[in-house]
Amino acid sequence: MYGRGFSKWKKSDTIIKESEGKRMEYVLLVVGFVLLIKGADFFVEGSSSVAKMLRIPSMIIGMTIVAMGTSLPECSVSVSASLAQKNELAISNAIGSNIFNLMVVCGFCTLFCPLAVQASTLKKEFPFSVLVAIMLLGFGSTSMLVGHTEGIILLVVFAAFIFWMVQSALKARNVSIENEEYEILPIWKCLLFIVGGMIAIAYGGNLVIDAASKIARNFEMSDNLIGLTIVACGTSLPELVTSIVAARKNEVDMALGNVIGSNIFNILFVLGIAAAISPITFLQENVVDIVVLVAMSLLVWAFAWSKKTLVRWEGVCMLLIYAGYLGYIINR
């Protein structure tokens, strides 16, 4: 009798501990996201202030400093996933974030004001972002693997992209930006924000990857699905917040530059680093998702090309399309 009672008590105690463990996973996931978002916020503020000291225009800041800063959460999560041999999460996080950036971030921004698109952006940076996605599709669909060699190629192309942006920034420095209103932080504060932000992002990324993987197992969800949904949306929150703030301040160049630059950064640098660390195995679902990304990119490009502006009704269409895609990946 005592043995049976002890067995019931032990089983009950185990259930309580499992329940507490599951709750803790959600707490750690939220803490990780907070660290990611606030870390990216501090990093962007410090880096942007340094860029403005050097008199670099908003579009260039958005394509480089802000884009890379807001994409550090994706970088942290994908690199952590690669080190942990969980590359399904690495690839789905990067692709899911790019789709979220394109459809949700741009879509939400149009609700506040039309996003005017420069002709040079439509002819250069936007098609380059599409080309980068097609290049990844070619790597993945050919051998269903992005290995060390492909990762190095992606990093070399990223270095060329940064060189191109630096050249553009140097040419643009001669253009007067005296009418722009901005606050420049003291240099010590910039360094504090940059270093502190990077530390918060690194720790936040580790918390997110661990908690998300455990939650996925609890719900019997694949790492690919959790990466496309919870992790992708969570790590894209810095882009969403930054771009909406920029749009509300009528800094549409920075808002759109942030999205395009982040999407380029996610594929070339984030996946380049992840593949260089550990080869990324492609699933058939990954190929489908990249095809969806390319199709959505072409759609938004067509929207922007028609009137050189993304307007509210187009933004609403983008949000509805993303909602449909979300329903598809959850049920497939």
Side-chain angles (χ1 to χ4, degrees), residues 244-292:
I244 287 176
V245 170
R248 292 189 67 179
K249 292 182 178 179
N250 209 30
E251 290 280 359
V252 291
D253 283 349
M254 182 176 287
L256 191 62
N258 178 30
V259 169
I260 297 173
S262 292
N263 282 12
I264 293 171
F265 183 84
N266 285 345
I267 292 177
L268 294 181
F269 186 79
V270 173
L271 291 182
I273 287 285
I277 294 171
S278 175
I280 301 174
T281 302
F282 259 62
L283 302 175
Q284 191 61 42
E285 292 174 351
N286 299 138
V287 175
V288 172
D289 293 327
I290 299 176
V291 170
V292 170

Side-chain angles (χ1 to χ4, degrees), residues 68 71-80 93 201 265-266 269-270 273:
M68 287 186 283
S71 287
L72 281 178
E74 287 92 334
C75 185
S76 177
V77 169
S78 292
V79 170
S80 297
N93 173 41
I201 287 166
F265 183 84
N266 285 345
F269 186 79
V270 173
I273 287 285

Side-chain angles (χ1 to χ4, degrees), residues 227-244:
L228 282 169
T229 53
I230 295 174
V231 179
C233 296
T235 55
S236 290
L237 287 178
E239 283 92 337
L240 180 61
V241 174
T242 302
S243 293
I244 287 176

Side-chain angles (χ1 to χ4, degrees), residues 116-240:
V117 187
Q118 296 179 6
S120 60
T121 302
L122 289 171
K123 294 177 182 178
K124 296 177 182 178
E125 290 87 3
F126 212 129
F128 181 73
S129 70
V130 178
L131 183 63
V132 163
I134 293 173
M135 181 170 65
L136 178 64
L137 178 62
F139 285 159
S141 60
T142 302
S143 59
M144 300 304 287
L145 182 77
V146 177
H148 296 300
T149 302
E150 289 85 354
I152 292 170
I153 292 172
L154 291 174
L155 291 174
V156 169
V157 176
F158 177 73
F161 169 72
I162 291 298
F163 178 78
W164 176 26
M165 287 293 100
V166 169
Q167 291 295 103
S168 299
L170 291 175
K171 291 178 182 178
R173 287 188 68 181
N174 296 325
V175 179
S176 175
I177 56 171
E178 293 178 359
N179 293 329
E180 290 192 12
E181 296 181 4
Y182 51 78
E183 178 185 358
I184 296 179
L185 301 173
I187 188 66
W188 67 267
K189 204 169 190 178
C190 291
L191 293 175
L192 180 64
F193 278 15
I194 291 170
V195 175
M198 289 179 70
I199 292 172
I201 287 166
Y203 277 106
N206 287 330
L207 287 175
V208 167
I209 186 74
D210 290 339
S213 296
K214 289 175 181 176
I215 291 170
R217 285 195 295 271
N218 291 338
F219 284 95
E220 298 183 353
M221 295 168 63
S222 67
D223 282 346
N224 185 54
L225 179 57
I226 204 76
L228 282 169
T229 53
I230 295 174
V231 179
C233 296
T235 55
S236 290
L237 287 178
E239 283 92 337
L240 180 61

